[in-house]
Amino acid sequence: MIEQLAESIQHFLESNGPLGYLLIAGIIFLENSGLPLPGETTLILASVLASKEILAFPLVLIAAICGAILGDNMGYFIGRRFGRDLVLKYGKVFGLTQDKFDRAEAAFLKNSAWAVFVGRFIVLLRILAGPLAGITRMPWPKFVLFNALGAFAWGGAIGTAAYFFGVAVLKFFEGIGIWGLILLVVAIIAFGVVRHFMDERAEHKAAKKSKIEPEQTTTTR
């Protein structure tokens, strides 16, 4: 299915001239808005065609970067407008209470700049970074800055690599994406475990402190 879609994209890019740039921007825009489309594959195929002088490489990069920036902003506003209510409404089924969501939101916001920037290079997170930032109400100016920086880094790195080294780059970046996703899942689990023990420790200290204070007051009197 993915291979057939990639072949269709490549055929369109080879056959439709200027419309190809709109396709590049459109697919990457929709992927970054939250739809599971092959945005990275499209960028790589377009960059390879640019190396054969079928497309203009600067226009490929401009289309990809603009699609990435605008798509992530669309995902951000969709997440901010609709995502939070949906998560809180249906998350209860899976035990996600308002308190747990608030903790998760605080944890994401502490690392939100990193998640938005690095997420460009990781499978799934590239699709979810914008909506997640909106759901957790990451400050929009901060999101815009790191979203743009990530888009330039992602478009420039992958586009240039594909331009010079061809489609072999596709498997390389797919491998990075898969391992990046695995590492991300491990990091999230580890963070959750550490956070749980830290919260328990903080609650224990708070309870101990609240117990000692009344005793000190009584002794003073």
Side-chain angles (χ1 to χ4, degrees):
M1 180 67 178
I2 297 296
E3 290 180 359
Q4 292 177 346
L5 182 57
E7 288 177 3
S8 299
I9 292 170
Q10 182 173 348
H11 178 72
F12 187 94
L13 292 175
E14 290 173 334
S15 308
N16 290 276
L19 289 177
Y21 303 113
L22 291 177
L23 180 69
I24 295 165
I27 290 177
I28 293 173
F29 171 86
L30 292 173
E31 182 194 37
N32 285 268
S33 296
L35 297 178
L37 291 175
E40 191 166 84
T41 300
T42 301
L43 172 58
I44 290 171
L45 291 175
S47 299
V48 171
L49 292 176
S51 71
K52 299 176 181 178
E53 299 185 353
I54 296 173
L55 296 172
F57 185 55
L59 294 180
V60 169
L61 289 185
I62 290 171
I65 291 168
C66 288
I69 291 173
L70 294 175
D72 247 13
N73 274 279
M74 176 62 75
Y76 175 90
F77 286 114
I78 290 172
R80 190 176 179 93
R81 176 64 181 86
F82 303 105
R84 188 183 184 89
D85 293 338
L86 289 174
V87 168
L88 291 175
K89 182 177 180 180
Y90 296 104
K92 294 176 182 178
V93 178
F94 304 98
L96 182 62
T97 62
Q98 175 76 53
D99 181 59
K100 289 181 180 178
F101 180 82
D102 289 342
R103 290 186 184 185
E105 181 178 33
F108 178 85
L109 289 174
K110 285 181 180 179
N111 304 283
S112 57
W114 176 88
V116 170
F117 182 85
V118 179
R120 289 280 181 195
F121 297 87
I122 299 176
V123 177
L124 187 62
L125 189 56
R126 182 168 56 251
I127 299 171
L128 297 177
L132 278 174
I135 289 171
T136 56
R137 301 190 183 279
M138 177 182 179
W140 187 64
K142 183 179 180 181
F143 172 78
V144 169
L145 173 61
F146 286 95
N147 172 42
L149 291 174
F152 277 98
W154 172 78
I158 293 184
T160 302
Y163 182 83
F164 286 108
F165 300 107
V167 288
V169 171
L170 182 59
K171 291 185 178 180
F172 176 75
F173 279 105
E174 281 179 349
I176 288 178
I178 292 168
W179 281 108
L181 181 59
I182 293 171
L183 289 173
L184 178 66
V185 171
V186 171
I188 290 172
I189 293 172
F191 179 83
V193 171
V194 172
R195 184 76 182 182
H196 174 72
F197 282 111
M198 287 179 66
D199 287 344
E200 279 195 343
R201 188 176 179 183
E203 289 174 3
H204 179 71
K205 284 184 176 180
K208 189 175 181 180
K209 185 178 179 181
S210 62
K211 184 178 180 181
I212 292 172
E213 285 179 351
E215 293 176 357
Q216 289 178 340
T217 304
T218 305
T219 304
T220 304
R221 288 180 180 177

